[in-house]
Amino acid sequence: MKEKKYQLIADEIKKRILNETYKANELMPEQGKLAKEFEVSKITIKKALDGLARAGLIYKKSGLGTYVLGQTLKMEKLDSPANAFDGLYHQQGKEHIKSKVILFEPEFPSAQVAQKLNITTTELVYNIKRLRIIDGMPFILEHTYMPVSIVPKLPLESIKSSIYSYIHDELNLKFGGAFRKIHSDWSNQDDVKYLETNLKVPMLEVEQVVWLANGKYVEYSKSRNVFNTRAITVVDINNF
């Protein structure tokens, strides 16, 4: 899967921050200047900067511009921003991540799942369970439901790589937002089986509902990992 221009630009800007070409607490070049340098639109530059802001490397001050936070708040390699929409495949890189498909079939949803997706129990959903593996290590166990009518003809290859890329690139759908609830739990039998842990081990669970720009709900999912393998990060900037 070809890497997007904004991702390549974000990678280059990140390198400049880490090697202190752009120093901490300094004002970054304006978006127009960066757009000219990389020969792309301002929209592409904005997407690149938005990703870096979610990662805690830069922050934007209304009316003043974009500033470098530097490495003080740098995330660990396996951490995930709480407000990310690019998915684990792009966060970690396709060379590092693999997915083992445990379940992938259409079915009629339970009343609870239907309520989460704002659909009826007579509307088909994909029931997807997969194990995300990073550098050979079992990392996250995901259980996802998606309405078939909104994500039609979802191919198995996308389940093995990136569902979000299929939604963005093939269906040309844009995410509008997400509600995410992050909490702890004890490990269950599935965790023991797939994440190679033991019973009564603390787990981190992220439950989320994602909706599109048109307001339709596209995903209800739960993702679980052993407590010491990943953290969820938030960067909160005070613009007042």
Side-chain angles (χ1 to χ4, degrees), residues 227-239:
F227 73 100
N228 59 354
T229 58
R230 173 179 69 150
I232 306 297
T233 64
V234 176
V235 179
D236 193 6
I237 303 299
N238 183 4
N239 285 314

Side-chain angles (χ1 to χ4, degrees), residues 13 27 47 79 95 100-101 136 142 159 178 189 198 207:
I13 294 175
L27 184 66
K47 289 183 71 174
D79 291 349
E95 67 275 14
K100 176 183 178 181
V101 180
E142 295 179 352
I159 306 295
Q189 293 292 348
N198 299 310
E207 181 180 9

Side-chain angles (χ1 to χ4, degrees), residues 194-213:
Y194 295 108
L195 293 173
E196 299 179 4
T197 187
N198 299 310
L199 284 174
K200 289 297 180 179
V201 170
M203 304 293 295
L204 180 69
E205 180 175 276
V206 180
E207 181 180 9
Q208 69 174 13
V209 177
V210 180
W211 59 89
L212 300 174

Side-chain angles (χ1 to χ4, degrees), residues 137-152:
M137 178 188 74
F139 185 51
I140 296 176
L141 185 60
E142 295 179 352
H143 198 175
T144 304
Y145 296 92
M146 289 183 165
V148 174
S149 61
I150 296 178
V151 190

Side-chain angles (χ1 to χ4, degrees), residues 79-95:
D79 291 349
S80 296
N83 56 351
F85 283 96
D86 48 1
L88 195 65
Y89 188 80
H90 290 299
Q91 289 173 21
Q92 298 298 327
K94 61 182 179 181
E95 67 275 14

Side-chain angles (χ1 to χ4, degrees), residues 113-165:
V113 171
Q115 186 271 331
K116 295 288 186 181
L117 291 171
N118 197 30
I119 59 176
T120 68
T121 55
T122 60
E123 298 179 62
L124 283 173
V125 297
Y126 297 112
N127 184 353
I128 305 165
K129 185 180 288 188
R130 58 182 180 166
L131 175 66
R132 313 307 294 278
I133 301 166
I134 293 184
D135 295 330
M137 178 188 74
F139 185 51
I140 296 176
L141 185 60
E142 295 179 352
H143 198 175
T144 304
Y145 296 92
M146 289 183 165
V148 174
S149 61
I150 296 178
V151 190
K153 300 178 181 179
L154 179 60
L156 179 61
E157 285 307 310
S158 292
I159 306 295
K160 293 179 178 178
S161 55
S162 172
I163 300 174
Y164 281 10
S165 289

